[in-house]
Amino acid sequence: MSQPSTGKNTARVLQSSCGEWRSIDVPSCSTKSSNTNSSPKRGNPPDDIVDYAFPKKQLKVHMTDRTNSVTVNRRSVHNSCPMPWFGMDIGGTLVKLVYFEPHNPSPSNNFSQVQTLEEIEFFLKNNETCRKGGGGKDTHLKIKNIYIHGNLGTLHFFHFPTSEMDMFLQSAKSKGMSLLPCTACATGGGAYKFESAFKKEVNMDIHKFDEMDSLLRGIHYIDANYQEECYYFENPVDDKFCEKKVFDFSSPYPYLVVNIGSGVSILSVYAPDCYKRVTGSSLGGGTFLGLCSLLTGCETFEQAIALAEKGESTKVDKLVKDIYGGDYPRFNLQGDTVASSFGNMTCQERRSLVSREDLARATLVTITNNIGSIARMCAVNEGMEHVVFVGNFLRVNPISMKLLAYAMDFWSNGTLKALFLEHEGYFGAVGCVVQLLET
Ligand SMILES: Nc1ncnc2c1ncn2[C@@H]1O[C@H](COP(=O)(O)OP(=O)(O)O)[C@@H](O)[C@H]1O
Ligand SMILES: CC(C)(COP(=O)(O)O)[C@@H](O)C(=O)NCCC(=O)O
């Protein structure tokens, strides 16, 4: 297979760099904290929940060590947010919805909590708009036996296209959803864009949270509560020997997060509550799907990926060997390296030889390599060894994951490791729910 492109995108990266510091309200957050052992504990023993959703100032917590870990008494449950709890990440392309089903609904309103959940579940499952564009419940991601704010329950995962949001609200209104008691919090751009529509259509005040804060809260929360969340690929481009392996994410700091949604955001994370947004790129998952739809006529992300699986990008891209006749050894550029993405498509004859599958594959490889190249440069600049890739661009998309794994390893001579998370696109929505009681 072709090699990832080299750092052709340097200028773009530097231009879009903003490097604004964000630090959540926790003391002694050093800007360049080293790899201290400040990670959440795994598992959830009954009397020792480690819950990063609670800031020190609002709840009675005590510091367990010098690295800002906070231990929360499980009885400090907030009663002003009626269950069931819903967290939404309303992104540029998809609405990610998580909801918490308590195993022991509070006795006082036992019936209404259960009934409310059943009614909302029925609505989500049977609503036309929720099923559009491959939307629906991600049953395989469900987490049983998780504690949120001291309550044991199950976390459910659901997604649908953001383009259906208005229809979704209309439909929720017509089915009487506004009358059901529950608490909804939201993040992503849509939390702001649709805030007034929520109020107008379903008379709901949503609790808004920043999407980067939520993303990190979600990552740390899920990782602390769900074994085997984090993984990497060994031998990523060798189909025979490629293996998915669990990575111990219990001491992750510092690390880089690359969130590949419609666009791309890159964050340096130094401690549980201390990070900065390093840069971003407008060439993300939306670009892939947009270009692929134009070039192949595909209708959905799943179709685009299915086409890409059968195509060859080397028919579309111009390789170093197409230009040099072989390697360019002086600068260690192998003949199979992509010299120019889509570079062969300037020629009519070559255009007539490529299929929709080849175009889909080339689009996927181009976008993925560009993100990999930016991520690698950020990791080098920031002195990071671990790069965590998240976002729904990676959904049902092992091609990109393996390419990113290979690219990180190859271009860093093995010093950088690409990591992935099972609940790839849902961390913002989870992070909202765990932040709920801070408001
Ligand atoms: N069912 C789907 N419909 C549309 N895009 C999808 C779907 N599944 C995965 N994707 C990919 O995921 C990207 C959106 O990722 P996501 O993390 O949800 O971002 P956002 O928050 O911007 O909506 C899309 O641009 C596309 O590349
Ligand atoms: C604006 C966004 C944070 C929105 O997040 P998204 O819905 O794409 O997940 C993201 O698309 C982004 O970071 N875009 C790149 C902007 C830049 O060039 O920095």
Side-chain angles (χ1 to χ4, degrees), residues 320-382:
V320 168
K321 69 182 172 198
D322 295 328
I323 301 172
Y324 271 75
D327 297 345
Y328 180 13
R330 186 167 180 218
F331 292 105
N332 199 23
L333 288 176
Q334 291 170 12
D336 282 342
T337 303
V338 180
S340 168
S341 300
F342 280 79
N344 279 340
M345 298 299 89
T346 54
C347 166
Q348 166 57 42
E349 200 191 325
R350 302 297 288 261
R351 282 202 295 274
S352 68
L353 296 175
V354 298
S355 63
R356 290 167 73 220
E357 286 81 359
D358 297 332
L359 289 167
R361 180 68 165 235
T363 311
L364 192 62
V365 170
T366 298
I367 296 299
T368 305
N369 277 345
N370 187 58
I371 295 168
S373 179
I374 296 170
R376 183 182 66 90
M377 284 185 283
C378 289
V380 170
N381 277 345
E382 295 286 311

Side-chain angles (χ1 to χ4, degrees), residues 19-70:
E20 185 202 346
W21 276 98
R22 294 300 312 274
S23 175
I24 307 169
D25 185 25
V26 168
S28 72
C29 170
S30 82
T31 51
K32 284 271 174 189
S33 75
S34 60
N35 197 354
T36 49
N37 193 14
S38 54
S39 58
K41 285 183 194 166
R42 286 186 173 266
N44 39 20
D47 288 306
D48 187 24
I49 290 182
V50 178
D51 184 340
Y52 288 84
F54 295 86
K56 265 183 353 101
K57 63 182 179 193
Q58 273 127 1
L59 289 168
K60 284 183 186 149
V61 297
H62 60 266
M63 305 304 286
T64 52
D65 59 27
R66 287 186 302 140
T67 54
N68 301 334
S69 300
V70 290

Side-chain angles (χ1 to χ4, degrees), residues 209-238:
F209 296 102
D210 175 79
E211 67 175 298
M212 305 303 162
D213 290 357
S214 300
L215 172 71
L216 295 183
R217 290 297 174 102
I219 290 176
H220 297 152
Y221 194 83
I222 294 283
D223 186 70
N225 288 280
Y226 187 67
Q227 305 279 351
E228 310 197 345
E229 177 67 23
C230 185
Y231 62 93
Y232 66 99
F233 289 99
E234 218 164 67
N235 305 311
V237 286
D238 187 336

Side-chain angles (χ1 to χ4, degrees), residues 385-413:
E385 287 176 2
H386 294 120
V387 184
V388 178
F389 291 94
V390 291
N392 276 322
F393 173 66
L394 300 175
R395 211 184 125 248
V396 296
N397 183 6
I399 297 173
S400 291
M401 285 196 271
K402 290 177 185 177
L403 202 51
L404 288 167
Y406 175 69
M408 290 303 106
D409 185 67
F410 181 86
W411 294 111
S412 71
N413 290 321

Side-chain angles (χ1 to χ4, degrees), residues 101-383:
E101 176 194 0
H103 288 180
N104 297 305
S106 78
S108 55
N109 56 358
N110 194 347
F111 177 72
S112 69
Q113 276 183 18
V114 173
Q115 201 186 35
T116 299
L117 252 180
E118 275 174 7
E119 292 206 13
I120 295 176
E121 267 230 330
F122 184 84
F123 169 73
L124 290 172
K125 279 187 183 159
N126 295 287
N127 197 284
E128 269 293 295
T129 57
C130 297
R131 291 207 301 266
K132 285 203 180 141
K137 195 167 179 183
D138 287 305
T139 313
H140 63 290
L141 294 178
K142 169 167 88 176
I143 305 182
K144 290 179 184 165
N145 299 321
I146 189 169
Y147 278 100
I148 297 197
H149 302 315
N151 293 265
L152 183 64
T154 301
L155 207 51
H156 298 272
F157 299 85
F158 201 95
H159 72 272
F160 63 93
T162 306
S163 54
E164 297 298 321
M165 198 64 203
D166 286 324
M167 285 301 291
F168 174 81
L169 289 172
Q170 289 289 336
S171 181
K173 182 183 179 181
S174 70
K175 298 278 189 263
M177 293 291 121
S178 56
L179 304 173
L180 298 174
C182 64
T183 306
C185 45
T187 187
Y192 299 83
K193 185 174 164 188
F194 294 102
E195 185 180 14
S196 53
F198 268 94
K199 186 73 189 159
K200 185 166 164 245
E201 302 300 343
V202 288
N203 193 29
M204 192 180 262
D205 290 310
I206 48 177
H207 305 255
K208 297 195 296 298
F209 296 102
D210 175 79
E211 67 175 298
M212 305 303 162
D213 290 357
S214 300
L215 172 71
L216 295 183
R217 290 297 174 102
I219 290 176
H220 297 152
Y221 194 83
I222 294 283
D223 186 70
N225 288 280
Y226 187 67
Q227 305 279 351
E228 310 197 345
E229 177 67 23
C230 185
Y231 62 93
Y232 66 99
F233 289 99
E234 218 164 67
N235 305 311
V237 286
D238 187 336
D239 278 347
K240 244 189 181 165
F241 296 104
C242 178
E243 258 188 278
K244 186 175 160 183
K245 292 203 156 175
V246 172
F247 182 83
D248 179 1
F249 199 63
S250 56
S251 301
Y253 307 103
Y255 69 93
L256 203 71
V257 175
V258 180
N259 184 28
I260 319 174
S262 309
V264 183
S265 276
I266 301 185
L267 312 176
S268 277
V269 189
Y270 298 102
D273 296 311
C274 185
Y275 73 93
K276 72 173 179 180
R277 183 175 184 275
V278 183
T279 191
S281 170
S282 60
L283 304 184
T287 320
F288 163 65
L289 194 49
L291 289 178
C292 205
S293 306
L294 283 172
L295 290 169
T296 71
C298 69
E299 304 268 345
T300 65
F301 182 74
E302 284 76 3
Q303 274 177 22
I305 295 293
L307 285 172
E309 272 163 4
K310 294 187 212 113
E312 276 181 56
S313 56
T314 48
K315 292 188 180 160
V316 178
D317 294 337
K318 192 165 272 187
L319 307 182
V320 168
K321 69 182 172 198
D322 295 328
I323 301 172
Y324 271 75
D327 297 345
Y328 180 13
R330 186 167 180 218
F331 292 105
N332 199 23
L333 288 176
Q334 291 170 12
D336 282 342
T337 303
V338 180
S340 168
S341 300
F342 280 79
N344 279 340
M345 298 299 89
T346 54
C347 166
Q348 166 57 42
E349 200 191 325
R350 302 297 288 261
R351 282 202 295 274
S352 68
L353 296 175
V354 298
S355 63
R356 290 167 73 220
E357 286 81 359
D358 297 332
L359 289 167
R361 180 68 165 235
T363 311
L364 192 62
V365 170
T366 298
I367 296 299
T368 305
N369 277 345
N370 187 58
I371 295 168
S373 179
I374 296 170
R376 183 182 66 90
M377 284 185 283
C378 289
V380 170
N381 277 345
E382 295 286 311

